[in-house]
Amino acid sequence: RKNKKRVPSFRKLLKTSKVKLDNKLKNKQFKQQSNAKKYRKEQRKLRQAVKDVTSRTSVPLEEYKKKHAAERKEEEEEEEALPLDMMDEDDLKLMEDLAQKASFVTRDLSSSEPIHAKKRKQESVIDRYEKMPRRMQTEPEKELIHLLPIKDKSGIIPQTMEKPVISVAQNEEEEDAEEMEVVEESSEEPQPVLTTDELLIQRRRKLQEKKMHIAALAAAILSDPENSIKKLKELRAMLMELDPNVAVIVRKLVMVSLMEIFKDITPSYKIRPLTEAEKHTKVRKETQKLREFEEGLVSQYKFYLENLEQTVKDWKQRKLKKSNVISLKAYKGLAEIAVKCLCELLVVLPHFNFHNNIIVLIVPLMNDASKLISEMCCEAVKKLFKQDKLGSVSLGVVKVISGLVKSRNYDVRPEVLKIFLHLRIKEVEVKKDTEDITAKKKFMSYKEKRKNLSRMQRKWKKAEEKLERELLEAEASESKEKKLKLHTETLNIVFLTYFRILKKVQKSPLLPAVLEGLAKFAHLINVEFFDDLLVVLHSLISSEDLSYRESLHCVLTAFHILSGQGDVLNIDPLKFYSHLYRTLFRLHAGATNDDMVIVLQCLDVMLTKRRKQVSQQRALAFIKRLSTLALHVLPNSSVGILATNRILMQTFPKTDLLLDNEAQGSGLYLPELDEPECCNAQNTALWELHALRRHYHPTVQKFADHLIAGAPAEGSEALRPDLSRRSGTELFETYNMKGMTFNPPVASVTPRKKDKFLQGDSFLNEDLKELIQRHLNEAAVHRPLDFAKHLKESSLS
């Protein structure tokens, strides 16, 4: 009967996928290994059986006779007792003949086997062993390796090569050799114990060798990335360093080295997997080489990210590997390096594969209990938002953050929500101006074409203009619309997160971050939500459960809403004006006044930008209260407040009556009253400016003199351009001396140290340096007591 199974032709082998051939080869090897294993097991059993048979010794005849003499006598007596008249003479003779045979007597009677057992079993263990085929003596099986074909005149000639398969005997010899090595190792004498210095020298030598090996592999990969995928794999394998002396340092070095390598060799595009049709398509050698490089690069990059992820998970779950090479304490350092590498790859390779997977890893770590890891992840996300111009990456991060906040039941750190403040969402306003921004190209009219061009030229011109219109739409309109769509979706998710927190967890520590975010993006909120949002903000302020900063954020959010799209709404936010007026004096007088920035922003939005909706009484009341507030805050806050008063006095010209001593109208000024409309601020004067003229800070003095003169824009009393052209918030940040104090070293200042003392205080502004220079020149510097007295008199100490 013919074997129907045919050997596949070379054409069929070419059409067969590489994966299928690999699977067939693996199955064949697995089958050979299992057969060899089964054969070794049978051989082991046979050897044991032969050993058992040969160990049995036959009993000599004399011993057997002596041992069983008594038994035989008893049997003879029993035979004699039998009725012999019932047996024939032939039978008796046969039994006597059998008794005389040595084989019957010398048989091992200890076994219960019958005499003719050999005939029933047909063969013994030794005979069966002898008859088995001698497979060990046969030649090993051959495996065909298909090589590149040769093309001849007759056609294509397939080329093959036989690959010898390792025989069972060789496997057994290798196993025996391994067993012998284990025995030899166990029989070796214990190595001498090294001293501490010797251990340190040995560790330093191993570490140096590992460093040189890492450097050599990295240099080889960077010099020729396309031909060094195997070296990249070798370097990645060093992440599993098992030497306990250098394991931690080597793994850290390999992590950082691989990060830098991937940053250098990854292309500027995303690598997609090949389709089945592309795999079977014939391409050039260069293209095939590039495909293999890209496939290997993506594979190694994936394994590298999995190693980093597993390192972080092992540290978070406090898990140790079976080898116990690294302790739990050292795992923290490894996890920090792994997170640092992930953060760097998140920022540098936002276009490459597995970027969304890195986002999913990094975002939960922003809420980590470790401050270092949390700050690293937050900074990485901030950088990512800053460099994301289109908005697709930001959208992915915002989705993951929103899901994290919801899954944790809004129990996250405020820094996670403050990340939203770094989003670049100003491009949403470009929607209405898209047509204006894209420069329209002028095309020829029909009359001009008919006048200047022939019929064929008009035909070509029409096709050319159609193509140019399509190109313009692809360049400008499509990118603008895509950016607008991404930013709109991102803002919807951000506002959804904010509104959920306002609705469900109003007493959460996340509320300041939510209010700050609403204050920044309020001008982009849909008009439909304005009424409900203002009601919620007012209820939060009225509840008095908020801190001072949170209440200021509520006020700022409300006025951002009303100053943007809310201009069309007929709403008078008098309650918010009254709240800010009432709480101005609650600013801390001795701290760094961080809340002053929010106060200055509120004043700008409430009074300057809404000048048409603000009455004169309200403006007078705020100017008076701000001047009083400037007396007991830090110099930078005083400068910001006086700059705001200057803008208000220029915006509302009739407020100059506060510089006059005569009363305007009836009534007395009521400074304790919390309603700005009813406190009769027109019947008071800004006497605080005269006190501020004697302030120790020179900039405060200049602003006080400027306001007393009526805040003129020109003349001798006008301010310098660097002061007059800047808002109160900018001046507050400029003169901010947070964390710095001015304590002049009175007892140690000498004429030689005078210049060095002035040059060392780089945080002092030019006016303050001039004042100190004047005091140093006028005072007797070599007499410390006189100098201290002089400083005290001039309010500088």
Side-chain angles (χ1 to χ4, degrees):
R1 190 176 178 181
K2 270 190 174 182
N3 189 8
K4 293 183 179 181
K5 190 173 181 181
R6 296 179 179 178
V7 179
S9 63
F10 181 72
R11 289 184 176 276
K12 194 170 183 181
L13 285 174
L14 284 178
K15 292 181 180 179
T16 309
S17 65
K18 186 180 179 182
V19 178
K20 192 171 180 181
L21 290 175
D22 293 343
N23 291 338
K24 282 187 177 181
L25 181 61
K26 288 179 182 177
N27 292 337
K28 186 175 181 180
Q29 292 176 355
F30 179 75
K31 191 173 180 180
Q32 291 175 355
Q33 291 175 1
S34 60
N35 290 337
K37 191 174 181 181
K38 192 182 296 183
Y39 181 71
R40 287 199 301 271
K41 192 174 181 180
E42 291 177 359
Q43 294 297 318
R44 199 180 298 115
K45 287 183 179 180
L46 289 176
R47 285 197 296 270
Q48 186 64 30
V50 173
K51 188 177 181 181
D52 293 342
V53 170
T54 55
S55 63
R56 293 182 180 178
T57 55
S58 59
V59 183
L61 183 60
E62 293 79 7
E63 294 180 2
Y64 177 79
K65 288 180 178 179
K66 292 178 182 179
K67 187 176 181 180
H68 300 282
E71 295 179 0
R72 260 187 261 140
K73 286 182 180 180
E74 293 176 0
E75 291 176 358
E76 288 175 359
E77 290 175 359
E78 290 177 359
E79 289 176 359
E80 290 176 359
L82 290 173
L84 299 176
D85 55 345
M86 296 178 65
M87 299 179 64
D88 296 337
E89 293 181 0
D90 297 336
D91 295 334
L92 290 172
K93 188 175 180 180
L94 179 62
M95 292 179 65
E96 289 176 0
D97 293 335
L98 290 173
Q100 297 299 325
K101 289 184 177 181
S103 61
F104 176 78
V105 179
T106 57
R107 186 170 59 87
D108 188 6
L109 300 178
S110 60
S111 64
S112 58
E113 293 181 359
I115 302 172
H116 304 290
K118 183 176 179 181
K119 290 183 179 180
R120 285 199 301 269
K121 290 187 178 181
Q122 295 180 358
E123 56 187 2
S124 65
V125 177
I126 299 176
D127 293 334
R128 189 167 63 251
Y129 176 74
E130 289 293 336
K131 290 180 180 180
M132 287 187 68
R134 300 295 190 266
R135 294 183 182 177
M136 297 173 62
Q137 295 178 359
T138 59
E139 294 183 358
E141 298 179 6
K142 300 294 183 180
E143 181 183 353
L144 293 179
I145 300 175
H146 295 278
L147 304 177
L148 291 174
I150 299 173
K151 189 174 182 181
D152 198 0
K153 293 181 179 179
S154 59
I156 297 176
I157 304 173
Q159 297 289 321
T160 57
M161 184 181 72
E162 292 182 353
K163 179 181 178 181
V165 181
I166 299 175
S167 62
V168 180
Q170 293 177 358
N171 283 335
E172 289 183 355
E173 290 175 3
E174 290 176 1
E175 290 178 0
D176 296 337
E178 290 176 0
E179 292 176 0
M180 291 297 293
E181 288 176 2
V182 172
V183 173
E184 290 175 2
E185 288 177 2
S186 61
S187 63
E188 285 179 0
E189 296 182 358
Q191 296 180 356
V193 180
L194 300 177
T195 62
T196 306
D197 294 339
E198 292 174 349
L199 288 173
L200 289 174
I201 294 171
Q202 184 181 9
R203 179 180 179 274
R204 195 178 296 112
R205 179 178 53 79
K206 288 182 179 179
L207 191 59
Q208 188 65 25
E209 291 176 358
K210 295 289 184 183
K211 287 181 179 179
M212 295 300 294
H213 187 48
I214 293 171
L217 288 175
I221 294 168
L222 292 176
S223 61
D224 189 9
E226 294 186 358
N227 299 323
S228 304
I229 294 297
K230 291 184 179 180
K231 293 181 180 179
L232 185 62
K233 183 178 179 181
E234 182 182 352
L235 182 60
R236 187 183 57 80
M238 293 182 70
L239 286 172
M240 297 292 109
E241 178 65 40
L242 298 178
D243 191 349
N245 293 328
V246 295
V248 178
I249 298 179
V250 169
R251 292 187 184 187
K252 289 181 180 180
L253 291 173
V254 173
M255 283 181 187
V256 179
S257 301
L258 283 171
M259 177 195 71
E260 296 294 337
I261 288 172
F262 282 120
K263 283 166 58 177
D264 288 339
I265 68 175
T266 48
S268 59
Y269 54 87
K270 188 175 182 180
I271 300 173
R272 62 172 181 83
L274 298 175
T275 61
E276 291 296 328
E278 290 175 342
K279 289 180 180 178
H280 299 309
T281 305
K282 292 183 179 180
V283 294
R284 294 182 302 174
K285 291 183 179 180
E286 294 80 4
T287 307
Q288 184 64 27
K289 186 177 180 181
L290 180 62
R291 285 182 177 181
E292 292 176 357
F293 166 70
E294 290 177 347
E295 184 180 356
L297 178 64
V298 171
S299 176
Q300 295 302 319
Y301 187 60
K302 178 185 176 184
F303 291 143
Y304 172 62
L305 294 179
E306 288 176 352
N307 287 332
L308 297 181
E309 179 186 8
Q310 193 61 43
T311 303
V312 178
K313 282 185 178 180
D314 291 342
W315 171 65
K316 296 292 289 182
Q317 298 172 2
R318 302 295 189 269
K319 281 187 178 180
L320 276 176
K321 298 294 182 183
K322 294 181 181 179
S323 58
N324 291 332
V325 175
I326 299 176
S327 63
L328 280 174
K329 188 175 181 181
Y331 252 107
K332 183 179 180 182
L334 276 177
E336 290 175 355
I337 297 296
V339 172
K340 186 176 181 181
C341 294
L342 287 170
C343 292
E344 190 71 18
L345 294 173
L346 177 74
V347 177
V348 178
L349 303 176
H351 60 277
F352 199 58
N353 300 51
F354 310 112
H355 189 260
N356 291 332
N357 303 77
I358 300 177
I359 291 174
V360 175
L361 284 175
I362 291 296
V363 169
L365 293 176
M366 292 164 56
N367 193 41
D368 195 77
S370 175
K371 187 177 180 182
L372 178 62
I373 290 180
S374 176
E375 288 179 353
M376 278 196 299
C377 297
C378 291
E379 287 297 323
V381 176
K382 288 177 186 177
K383 292 179 182 177
L384 190 66
F385 284 165
K386 187 176 181 181
Q387 70 182 18
D388 184 25
K389 296 180 180 179
L390 185 61
S392 57
V393 179
S394 301
L395 177 60
V397 177
V398 169
K399 283 182 179 179
V400 179
I401 292 176
S402 178
L404 174 70
V405 173
K406 188 178 179 181
S407 63
R408 297 285 178 89
N409 198 16
Y410 308 100
D411 184 16
V412 296
R413 300 178 63 185
E415 287 78 6
V416 178
L417 281 184
K418 287 183 179 178
I419 291 295
F420 290 158
L421 299 175
H422 299 273
L423 287 168
R424 300 177 61 180
I425 311 293
K426 295 180 181 179
E427 289 83 356
V428 175
E429 299 176 355
V430 181
K431 182 178 181 181
K432 57 185 179 181
D433 300 330
T434 305
E435 298 179 357
D436 300 334
I437 291 175
T438 56
K440 294 182 179 179
K441 185 172 182 179
K442 294 182 179 181
F443 297 101
M444 294 178 67
S445 63
Y446 179 74
K447 290 183 179 180
E448 292 176 348
K449 291 178 184 176
R450 192 160 183 91
K451 182 179 179 180
N452 300 322
L453 302 177
S454 64
R455 184 177 180 182
M456 186 58 68
Q457 287 176 340
R458 288 200 301 270
K459 187 177 180 180
W460 284 102
K461 192 69 176 177
K462 184 178 179 181
E464 184 181 352
E465 289 178 355
K466 183 180 178 181
L467 180 61
E468 288 181 356
R469 286 193 184 96
E470 291 177 356
L471 290 174
L472 287 174
E473 290 176 1
E475 290 176 0
S477 179
E478 184 180 351
S479 61
K480 297 286 182 183
E481 290 176 0
K482 186 177 180 181
K483 183 187 292 186
L484 179 64
K485 184 178 179 181
L486 290 172
H487 286 176
T488 305
E489 189 177 353
T490 304
L491 265 184
N492 289 338
I493 298 173
V494 171
F495 286 141
L496 181 62
T497 306
Y498 285 163
F499 293 158
R500 280 175 179 168
I501 296 173
L502 284 176
K503 183 179 179 181
K504 296 182 179 180
V505 281
Q506 292 187 355
K507 295 185 179 180
S508 170
L510 300 177
L511 193 59
V514 170
L515 295 173
E516 193 172 353
L518 287 174
K520 180 174 182 179
F521 302 116
H523 61 286
L524 303 173
I525 301 176
N526 197 342
V527 183
E528 298 174 357
F529 302 115
F530 281 3
D531 292 335
D532 297 334
L533 192 55
L534 287 174
V535 171
V536 171
L537 294 175
H538 185 261
S539 63
L540 287 173
I541 292 175
S542 303
S543 64
E544 296 183 356
D545 294 332
L546 304 180
S547 65
Y548 185 60
R549 177 182 281 261
E550 294 170 4
S551 64
L552 290 176
H553 279 306
C554 284
V555 174
L556 186 60
T557 303
F559 280 96
H560 271 303
I561 292 173
L562 294 175
S563 62
Q565 304 176 47
D567 287 338
V568 298
L569 302 176
N570 189 13
I571 299 175
D572 185 16
L574 181 61
K575 298 176 181 179
F576 295 103
Y577 280 103
S578 301
H579 175 75
L580 181 63
Y581 183 79
R582 181 173 63 252
T583 57
L584 274 177
F585 285 153
R586 290 175 57 185
L587 277 171
H588 199 289
T592 54
N593 290 165
D594 289 336
D595 298 335
M596 179 58 71
V597 180
I598 310 172
V599 171
L600 295 174
Q601 292 175 357
C602 290
L603 293 170
D604 182 45
V605 177
M606 295 166 65
L607 300 175
T608 307
K609 293 183 179 179
R610 291 175 59 88
R611 61 175 68 91
K612 295 181 180 180
Q613 289 86 4
V614 177
S615 63
Q616 184 179 353
Q617 291 292 331
R618 193 178 298 176
L620 290 170
F622 270 99
I623 290 173
K624 175 62 179 176
R625 179 151 290 199
L626 287 172
S627 300
T628 308
L629 178 64
L631 292 172
H632 68 271
V633 291
L634 292 180
N636 56 335
S637 300
S638 297
V639 171
I641 289 172
L642 293 178
T644 303
N645 275 350
R646 173 182 174 273
I647 295 173
L648 291 177
M649 292 177 70
Q650 292 177 348
T651 306
F652 303 95
K654 294 184 180 180
T655 54
D656 58 353
L657 58 89
L658 292 174
L659 303 175
D660 193 358
N661 292 332
E662 296 181 1
Q664 302 289 331
S666 61
L668 295 175
Y669 172 61
L670 303 174
E672 300 87 2
L673 195 64
D674 293 333
E675 294 296 331
E677 302 284 349
C678 307
C679 66
N680 297 324
Q682 74 276 3
N683 293 323
T684 184
L686 296 179
W687 55 266
E688 295 88 355
L689 296 177
H690 291 278
L692 292 171
R693 291 180 68 183
R694 297 189 295 273
H695 198 277
Y696 70 88
H697 201 284
T699 309
V700 177
Q701 296 177 12
K702 290 184 179 181
F703 265 102
D705 292 333
H706 176 68
L707 292 179
I708 288 174
E714 297 177 352
S716 60
E717 297 295 335
L719 292 176
R720 299 197 309 264
D722 61 329
L723 298 177
S724 61
R725 295 177 182 176
R726 303 168 79 178
S727 63
T729 308
E730 294 174 352
L731 290 171
F732 170 79
E733 295 292 343
T734 302
Y735 290 93
N736 189 8
M737 298 168 63
K738 183 177 180 180
M740 301 178 183
T741 55
F742 174 60
N743 296 317
V746 175
S748 61
V749 175
T750 61
R752 295 181 180 178
K753 296 182 180 179
K754 180 176 63 173
D755 298 333
K756 187 177 180 181
F757 165 67
L758 289 174
Q759 294 173 1
D761 296 326
S762 59
F763 63 89
L764 299 175
N765 55 32
E766 296 297 330
D767 298 328
L768 195 56
K769 285 184 178 181
E770 291 178 5
L771 182 62
I772 297 171
Q773 182 71 52
R774 189 173 69 248
H775 283 297
L776 289 173
N777 293 335
E778 294 176 356
V781 181
H782 59 280
R783 288 180 291 176
L785 295 178
D786 295 343
F787 179 62
K789 183 179 178 181
H790 187 74
L791 288 178
K792 186 176 181 182
E793 291 175 354
S794 59
S795 302
L796 184 63
S797 60

